[in-house]
């Protein structure tokens, strides 16, 4: 009787191992479909004028005004994202979030941004940017740490540079060159191609 129970237990264990192995292979094949997407877009940064899209919400008393780095200045933004550098270029979406000057010695932003795609094949998807952006550098690299929709499980980077700033310093155009790794799942492809 004990031998039958032991044999039955071994058979069940073997079936469980085969089942888990089959499921692991299925999951592995679903997420091994990694894609690389490269994007270039332009952020229209309106810090002044009649319709600003960047708003100062806090600062560290008089310290912000006395340091050349403007340490402690905190702003929220909801900037237009376009396919070209001109403000009337095709609209891609919005970049929304919080930025703060967080370095005592140089103008460097800490950024928590969501790029929300509102048009085109990525409509409804987002990319999440979280990192340091030293504003005095010509080329700046910031990390892509996540995303939704087409960009679920995204990771990558964006190289940013100031494309143009008007004389009054109220409208800046920032170029973003993005490389993002993400996974294509079968149900995602059907959803976004529908």
């Amino acid at each position: 009787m004990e031998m039958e129970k032991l044999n039955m237990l071994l058979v069940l264990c073997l079936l469980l191992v085969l089942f888990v192995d089959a499921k692991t292979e299925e999951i592995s094949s679903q997420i091994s479909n990694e894609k690389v997407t490269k994007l270039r877009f332009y952020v229209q940064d309106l810090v002044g004028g009649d319709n600003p899209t960047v708003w100062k919400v806090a600062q560290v008393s008089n310290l912000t005004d006395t340091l050349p780095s403007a340490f402690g200045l905190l702003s929220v933004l909801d900037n237009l994202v376009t396919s070209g550098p001109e403000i009337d270029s095709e609209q891609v979406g919005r970049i929304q979030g919080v930025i703060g000057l967080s370095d005592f010695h140089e103008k460097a932003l800490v950024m928590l941004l969501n790029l929300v795609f509102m048009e085109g094949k990525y409509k409804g998807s987002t990319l999440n940017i979280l990192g340091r952006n030293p504003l005095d550098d010509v080329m700046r690299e910031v990390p892509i740490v996540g995303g939704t929709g087409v960009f679920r499980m995204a990771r990558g980077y964006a190289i940013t540079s100031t494309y143009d700033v008007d004389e009054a310093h109220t409208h800046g155009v920032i170029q973003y060159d993005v490389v993002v790794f993400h996974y294509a799942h079968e149900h995602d492809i059907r959803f976004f191609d529908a």
Side-chain angles (χ1 to χ4, degrees):
M1 192 66 161
E2 289 298 318
M3 191 57 130
E4 284 180 27
K5 287 183 181 177
L6 185 59
N7 284 339
M8 184 62 108
L9 185 59
L10 287 173
V11 168
L12 287 174
C13 286
L14 180 60
L15 287 174
L16 182 61
V17 167
L18 291 174
F19 176 77
V20 168
D21 190 46
K23 282 297 185 188
T24 302
E25 186 175 317
E26 180 182 325
I27 291 168
S28 176
S29 70
Q30 287 177 356
I31 63 172
S32 66
N33 191 8
E34 187 172 57
K35 296 176 70 174
V36 177
T37 300
K38 296 180 181 180
L39 305 166
R40 172 175 283 171
F41 54 84
Y42 297 85
V43 174
Q44 305 294 331
D45 201 37
L46 300 171
V47 296
D50 294 334
N51 298 304
T53 57
V54 179
W55 290 88
K56 297 175 187 176
V57 293
Q59 69 179 44
V60 180
S61 62
N62 63 353
L63 187 61
T64 301
D65 294 331
T66 59
L67 289 174
S69 66
F71 175 82
L73 182 63
L74 186 66
S75 299
V76 294
L77 57 90
D78 183 3
N79 287 340
L80 175 65
V81 177
T82 57
S83 61
E86 298 80 19
I87 198 164
D88 58 355
S89 298
E90 177 186 5
Q91 294 184 16
V92 173
R94 309 290 295 186
I95 198 160
Q96 302 164 333
V98 178
I99 55 173
L101 288 154
S102 59
D103 189 315
F104 276 120
H105 308 288
E106 66 176 306
K107 284 196 174 193
L109 294 175
V110 61
M111 302 191 323
L112 172 58
L113 301 175
N114 294 307
L115 170 58
V116 182
F117 291 92
M118 297 180 167
E119 301 295 335
K121 66 181 179 178
Y122 304 123
K123 183 177 181 177
S125 299
T126 66
L127 285 173
N128 312 118
I129 300 167
L130 172 66
R132 184 176 190 272
N133 186 346
L135 295 176
D136 291 333
D137 291 358
V138 174
M139 305 293 276
R140 303 167 307 264
E141 181 176 341
V142 293
I144 306 289
V145 297
T148 63
V150 171
F151 298 114
R152 186 174 295 147
M153 295 178 66
R155 67 194 191 292
Y157 64 92
I159 303 296
T160 69
S161 57
T162 303
Y163 183 86
D164 190 30
V165 177
D166 67 357
E167 283 185 34
H169 292 278
T170 59
H171 178 203
V173 180
I174 299 109
Q175 179 177 313
Y176 275 69
D177 290 303
V178 172
V179 176
V180 63
F181 296 87
H182 55 101
Y183 296 100
H185 301 282
E186 284 300 316
H187 64 278
D188 291 339
I189 294 169
R190 283 194 296 272
F191 175 77
F192 285 104
D193 289 344

